[in-house]
Amino acid sequence: MWLKNAWYVAGHAAEIVPGTLVARRLLNQPVVLWRTDAGQAVAFRDRCPHRLVPLSMGKHDGDAIVCGYHGMRFGADGMCNHIPAQEQIPQKARATAYPLVERHALLWIWMGDAAQADAALIPDLHWMQSEGWVPSEGYLHIAADYRLVTDNLLDLSHESFIHTRTIGDDVVAQTPVRSDVVNEHVVRAHREMPNIEAPPFFARLMGDPEARIDRFQTALFHPPGLNITFVKIRPAGATNQSFDGRATHMLTPETERSTHYFWAFARNFVLEDAELTDFVRQATAATFDEDKAMLEAQQLGIEEEPETPLPQLALRVDGAPMQARRLLAKLVSQERLGHVMKTAELQHV
Amino acid sequence: MWLKNAWYVAGHAAEIVPGTLVARRLLNQPVVLWRTDAGQAVAFRDRCPHRLVPLSMGKHDGDAIVCGYHGMRFGADGMCNHIPAQEQIPQKARATAYPLVERHALLWIWMGDAAQADAALIPDLHWMQSEGWVPSEGYLHIAADYRLVTDNLLDLSHESFIHTRTIGDDVVAQTPVRSDVVNEHVVRAHREMPNIEAPPFFARLMGDPEARIDRFQTALFHPPGLNITFVKIRPAGATNQSFDGRATHMLTPETERSTHYFWAFARNFVLEDAELTDFVRQATAATFDEDKAMLEAQQLGIEEEPETPLPQLALRVDGAPMQARRLLAKLVSQERLGHVMKTAELQHV
Amino acid sequence: MWLKNAWYVAGHAAEIVPGTLVARRLLNQPVVLWRTDAGQAVAFRDRCPHRLVPLSMGKHDGDAIVCGYHGMRFGADGMCNHIPAQEQIPQKARATAYPLVERHALLWIWMGDAAQADAALIPDLHWMQSEGWVPSEGYLHIAADYRLVTDNLLDLSHESFIHTRTIGDDVVAQTPVRSDVVNEHVVRAHREMPNIEAPPFFARLMGDPEARIDRFQTALFHPPGLNITFVKIRPAGATNQSFDGRATHMLTPETERSTHYFWAFARNFVLEDAELTDFVRQATAATFDEDKAMLEAQQLGIEEEPETPLPQLALRVDGAPMQARRLLAKLVSQERLGHVMKTAELQHV
């Protein structure tokens, strides 16, 4: 159901500050995220090796965390370096540390075979943290299989029915979509909507409630859980102007039926406008909340009929979601045979 | 456990108005109830055939409903008549429509073999909607097997212990009951209580807190889930006067362990008194809420001991409940062999 | 997992007053506790033998309780002595009565073979109710296996990490503990902490925020669920003075994963000070609430890894907990072979 040997987003980097222990279930494993005083972000299995209590109920102490039950102290490498009233430290006295890399303002965790954790395989999401881009970030918990969220993001015709208050209008669903499998780790779905009335979100981005725009939308999937919506808008016909947005959706399975949805909408225009940054954050959160309601209902519907294939009835808009499902299933099969996906090249639009 | 080829009450007719989609689980199936602009009540399985999301999350649109996820549009017959950006409509693109009949101010659904759905099999509950009768209606959800509610309604001795604030007094339990199996689809239990102090509910109906009355009570069961309590009261000894009430209990299994309890108390006296109608509604609701607490506790008790027969210990008052259980079990067995109950004749008292 | 032929605490005696029916699950059995007008405390299985509803939903009536559904009346011996509208009382019409003894201000229940229920096997907790002692009592529900609570109480090094606001300081965990199996039904763990700064709780007991004390702590376990912490403090070096406290922890399994934690802290000094009695109650409750949070988290951690032995990694402080586990497991095995633990001798420190 999910790849083990892959980088997953464990959190926005800014969430984890020294002194705070964050408990989070990832791929159905309990994880505690913390940061040393020196600034290194660390991920442990959230269980003390002594009596299985959560280490996240303990305390941060400089370059270590101390279990809140009996005081065992674990350094950033997971090794125990203090046990009260006991001088000898058993070899098994260690917390399980997962490879964790901080990049693009995100924490990337590798929960499979640690020997294969190669930071070069982390996909390039430089717009999350680079000059010329301003991200609006957020997080959403969704009580649904993460693959349903990818289905959702690769068939954006739903914007016309779910998101009419922000990014949706009749045009999206009426516009045919072109989808293709770019290569063995990228699926893409593209839609062009020239000379339309700007839906509310885009009208605000353009600063013009009456704006007519050309709208281009490319949804891209990279396994296991990365989706990027490349958004391009411009005043209708103004080929010399372009406003780019990159809605970046980082899906990490919490359990088989729930998902951590870390997201950011990065833009390359009007960078200094903090109010706009905040508007984008709020509008995006409101939009994804609408998806959440539908996805959670869908999850319940599917659980009642576990034998039913999905989609039960394939429409034209299901091309990209089905391609992505097949691609992911193939990678999971290959992983069982010992292969590890060896590239992070996204081949952007 | 329950008959499939039978009419069940899906709702009070007045609940379903054009523009509103009502989701309700019936016989452990998700159902959406809606009404066309022309006034036809419709029941669909509450799943879009595309991706299994609830149709009840969509929108009513004239003579159709539109799925809230990707915009498929289904007419009252269940057939899809529009898919966005797709001209060809696949044959499988249809919602499952259940036979639904509006009669006696109720919506009757048939969830078994649609070919056998004969509206002539709907029992005659004309007092729910006819001259000379005024009903006070309500609904209650009970987290218990619907058969426990029938047990309750066929042994009214419990009124003396549960319902002392409204219809109960010591007399009910002290009065012997006569029960009989009228025929293969009707069980009856009868009690006569001449010249008694009127319990509070009846005193109010008589408009006299000091009233002495003759009270007659006949509980009738008609499978699968209809119970009627025929209530007759009169001033003690006044053989030329009679006040009739028909407490009508329409039980529809939600799941194996929960019940939709649609009810009405119809009376044939002081018809114009709206305040009295409201009093009857409130008193009846309060009374059935008391049953709910006991029945839900009983359900939990039974679930802990699934092997224990019920009643564990049969008392004299258990005659009618046991006859009804046997009758229902026989009909369920017969249905498995292909028989369908072919009569709705209630043979009223 | 638990002994059946043993006395368990079912409640503080003061909880059960005539007129009130208390429902409580003990050893995964539903129990109703009540008291006759004459003062006898009674425990029944909380199910009416008629239709399995909880007797605790009925009413107390003098020397009997009356089922709230159909009015069967049961005397203190469990025998039914009245059925409405029915003269003959079937032999099976009886509630299951458990042996129940009131002693030391506690109600002791025996849920195994009633023939073996010997009140002489109730351990001597006279300090709960005798001259020279004042108890501060309380109750806590813990969603964890009762054995985890015993583990907690036999390794008090956790006071240094969980209870720093009341009874904990660094000294406890730093002080080596001596544990021993006194005999086949008593395990003991002992710690001496001479000439220390009094932690907040003890400073208040001494009436001196600056107090230095000698502190002695003996944890004693007696199966199945009794733990006593013998607490002795005195002004540092004052061998002619001694303040004794007995924290008495009476653990009764509710289910396999939850525990009734009845407790009292009895002291033999400043007996008349009601404010101190109240302070002890509040401080003890606050202290045990801290354990509750940790124990419930531990229970969830263990449930995820049912195959993992506990402790996964044994430290020096785990001596007494492991001895107690072995002792209990042995008694459970012996019980399966027909043996009953035949002594209640605690051999106090």
Side-chain angles (χ1 to χ4, degrees), chain A residues 7 29-34 40-49 55 65 74-80 92-101 108-115 117:
Chain A
W7 291 106
Q29 295 295 320
V31 173
V32 55
L33 300 165
W34 60 286
Q40 181 192 354
V42 182
F44 284 172
R45 184 155 201 283
D46 191 18
R47 292 290 178 267
C48 179
L55 288 169
I65 60 178
F74 303 91
D77 59 357
M79 301 304 296
C80 177
K92 287 168 59 186
R94 62 170 73 182
T96 301
Y98 298 104
L100 191 78
V101 174
W108 299 84
I109 194 170
W110 182 280
M111 301 184 73
D113 174 11

Side-chain angles (χ1 to χ4, degrees), chain B residues 148 151-152 155 157-158 161-162 173-174 293-295 297-298 301-302 304-305 308 310-313 315-316 318 321, chain C residues 25 28 30 45 47-54 57 66-72 83-87 90 92-93:
Chain B
L148 294 179
D151 289 346
N152 173 289
D155 173 13
S157 73
H158 74 267
F161 305 97
I162 299 190
Q174 286 163 7
M294 185 61 78
L295 291 166
Q298 186 184 17
I302 290 166
E304 279 210 325
E305 304 180 42
T308 303
L310 200 75
Q312 191 176 18
L313 171 74
L315 305 183
R316 279 181 54 182
D318 289 304
Chain C
R25 182 167 293 267
N28 213 14
R45 184 156 202 281
R47 292 290 179 265
C48 178
H50 173 216
R51 283 191 164 276
L52 300 183
V53 300
M57 291 181 78
V66 177
C67 179
Y69 202 175
H70 300 100
M72 291 176 76
I83 301 176
Q86 176 166 341
E87 294 197 5
K92 288 168 58 185

Side-chain angles (χ1 to χ4, degrees), chain C residues 150-167:
Chain C
T150 290
D151 288 346
N152 172 290
L153 291 165
L154 285 175
D155 173 13
L156 295 170
S157 74
H158 75 267
E159 292 179 2
S160 298
F161 305 97
I162 299 190
H163 303 313
T164 51
R165 290 181 300 171
T166 52
I167 56 175

Side-chain angles (χ1 to χ4, degrees), chain B residues 68-265:
Chain B
Y69 201 175
H70 300 101
M72 290 177 77
R73 191 176 185 280
F74 303 92
D77 59 357
M79 300 305 296
C80 177
N81 53 37
H82 179 67
I83 301 176
Q86 176 166 342
E87 294 199 4
Q88 204 201 331
I89 296 184
Q91 218 174 347
K92 288 168 58 186
R94 61 170 74 183
T96 302
Y98 296 104
L100 191 79
V101 173
E102 184 164 352
R103 187 174 294 176
H104 309 317
L106 297 164
L107 300 176
W108 299 84
I109 195 169
W110 183 280
M111 300 184 73
D113 174 10
Q116 308 204 44
D118 175 359
L121 297 177
I122 293 173
D124 174 14
L125 306 181
H126 63 272
W127 55 83
M128 294 289 292
Q129 190 181 39
S130 61
E131 264 192 55
W133 291 95
V134 171
S136 298
E137 300 167 333
Y139 168 81
L140 188 64
H141 182 270
I142 298 188
D145 183 338
Y146 79 118
R147 296 173 299 183
L148 294 179
V149 190
T150 290
D151 289 346
N152 173 289
L153 291 166
L154 286 176
D155 173 13
L156 296 170
S157 73
H158 74 267
E159 292 180 1
S160 298
F161 305 97
I162 299 190
H163 303 314
T164 51
R165 291 181 299 170
T166 52
I167 54 174
D169 60 6
D170 290 350
V171 176
V172 183
Q174 286 163 7
T175 304
V177 65
R178 294 200 317 270
S179 71
D180 60 335
V181 181
V182 177
N183 58 39
E184 68 172 9
H185 58 276
V186 176
V187 169
R188 191 167 52 185
H190 182 70
R191 213 180 237 109
E192 303 196 353
M193 296 161 275
N195 195 17
I196 62 170
E197 270 183 54
F201 177 74
F202 298 110
R204 172 72 179 81
L205 291 193
M206 304 294 285
D208 175 6
E210 307 293 319
R212 290 194 73 81
I213 59 172
D214 299 332
R215 177 180 180 188
F216 305 87
Q217 179 188 74
T218 305
L220 183 150
F221 168 67
H222 175 69
L226 176 63
N227 286 274
I228 308 166
T229 317
F230 294 86
V231 175
K232 188 189 289 288
I233 52 173
R234 62 188 186 202
T239 53
N240 60 336
Q241 267 188 293
S242 166
F243 299 81
D244 285 341
R246 299 199 175 166
T248 311
H249 320 264
M250 296 152 285
L251 310 174
T252 303
E254 180 186 51
T255 67
E256 296 194 356
R257 59 184 309 283
S258 58
T259 299
H260 297 290
Y261 187 165
F262 304 99
W263 57 261
F265 187 100

